[in-house]
Amino acid sequence: MDAINKGRHAQHLVAEPACGACRNGNSLDFAFSYAFQPIIDIRARRVFAHEALIRGPQGQGARFVLDQVTSANRYQFDQACRMKAIELAARQGIASKVSINFLPNAIYRPEVCISTTLKAAKQYGFPIDRIVFETVEGERVDDGKWLAEVFREYQRIGAIDDFGAGYAGLNLLADFQPDIIKLDMELVRHIATRKASQAIVRGVAGICRELGCHCSSPNREGMKKAAKPFSLAALWPI
């Protein structure tokens, strides 16, 4: 879908009412904030995007916040996270794309659940075409077909970044091709001395090239020596 049609679809979804899970769920009783980590396009040598990393209100790590998420507040947390990330990105004047995590298991109806995100973007004046949706690492989704459907709906609005923690695997990749595939942290750690990891990354890079996906790495230091021989036309956080 081109940028014009994405924009039209987004405007249509802004008018969607919230579903019952949002209207009737428990409100959050804890605060959180975000830090924005730059992601570098190594070919253009520029900041491609910023990843919104959840933090506690006093700068505590992500675990401080995630330990307070329960089955009762999971949906509200997912919605609040996206709205807060967009609000802070707009207030800080971030001009690049912003990668925002979401919980696939907190999605009831993709086209409705995304509407609050679009309303936040409109409210704070953040361009919709700068939003990148990224699945949360460690989020296990057993229904690959459903996950692909969620991804497709979200891709109609913005870009989709990786599959989160590798649970979906190659079967999901056959059903849905994201805009960006992120390599797992453990895969690229010490990659310069691990031949098996090098072979896997070469293979993933080849798949990305054939599918027209970008490839990113969360571990810049671990990739420094290995990046050149792999010729990764990639992005990774600094």
Side-chain angles (χ1 to χ4, degrees):
M1 180 181 291
D2 58 34
I4 294 177
N5 286 326
K6 281 189 175 185
R8 289 173 179 168
H9 185 60
Q11 291 301 318
H12 167 71
L13 293 181
V14 166
E16 287 281 358
C19 68
C22 185
R23 292 194 304 269
N24 305 325
N26 297 333
S27 60
L28 294 179
D29 58 1
F30 59 90
F32 61 89
S33 188
Y34 274 97
F36 292 91
Q37 176 173 257
I39 302 174
I40 301 300
D41 181 334
I42 60 172
R43 276 187 168 174
R45 296 182 178 274
R46 64 177 177 82
V47 174
F48 165 79
H50 286 78
E51 182 176 4
L53 303 175
I54 197 161
R55 295 290 183 264
Q58 304 302 321
Q60 300 96 325
R63 183 50 53 191
F64 173 85
V65 179
L66 297 178
D67 282 346
Q68 301 179 72
V69 179
T70 67
S71 58
N73 64 23
R74 183 182 187 86
Y75 183 87
Q76 285 67 34
F77 175 72
D78 181 61
Q79 295 292 310
C81 279
R82 291 185 251 166
M83 295 174 68
K84 173 69 77 173
I86 290 172
E87 175 189 356
L88 294 180
R91 288 185 175 179
Q92 292 185 27
I94 294 178
S96 69
K97 293 180 180 292
V98 172
S99 180
I100 302 172
N101 285 307
F102 74 97
L103 301 168
N105 284 320
I107 304 300
Y108 289 83
R109 288 177 54 198
E111 73 282 4
V112 175
C113 292
I114 200 175
S115 64
T116 54
T117 305
L118 301 177
K119 289 173 183 175
K122 182 177 181 180
Q123 178 181 350
Y124 297 109
F126 192 85
I128 292 172
D129 60 4
R130 293 187 197 164
I131 298 175
V132 177
F133 295 104
E134 177 177 354
T135 53
V136 173
E137 292 184 5
E139 178 80 347
R140 180 163 192 148
V141 180
D142 293 322
D143 189 343
K145 295 293 185 182
W146 163 250
L147 183 58
E149 197 60 38
V150 171
F151 282 165
R152 270 189 283 272
E153 181 59 38
Y154 277 41
Q155 194 178 45
R156 294 177 72 185
I157 303 302
I160 288 290
D161 182 350
D162 96 296
F163 298 115
Y167 287 119
L170 296 177
N171 287 334
L172 177 57
L173 187 58
D175 285 337
F176 175 83
Q177 294 76 52
D179 300 275
I180 304 167
I181 292 179
K182 180 183 289 183
L183 300 172
D184 187 85
M185 176 73 79
E186 291 302 316
L187 180 62
V188 298
R189 182 174 284 124
H190 307 303
I191 191 171
T193 59
R194 297 169 61 188
K195 291 185 177 181
S197 294
Q198 293 176 18
I200 293 170
V201 171
R202 286 194 187 97
V204 172
I207 290 173
C208 288
R209 283 192 295 271
E210 289 199 34
L211 296 180
C213 305
H214 290 290
C215 183
S216 71
S217 166
N219 185 358
R220 178 175 180 261
E221 293 304 315
M223 293 290 289
K224 274 185 176 179
K225 295 180 181 179
K228 186 174 181 180
F230 294 159
S231 299
L232 285 176
L235 315 170
W236 60 62
I238 62 173

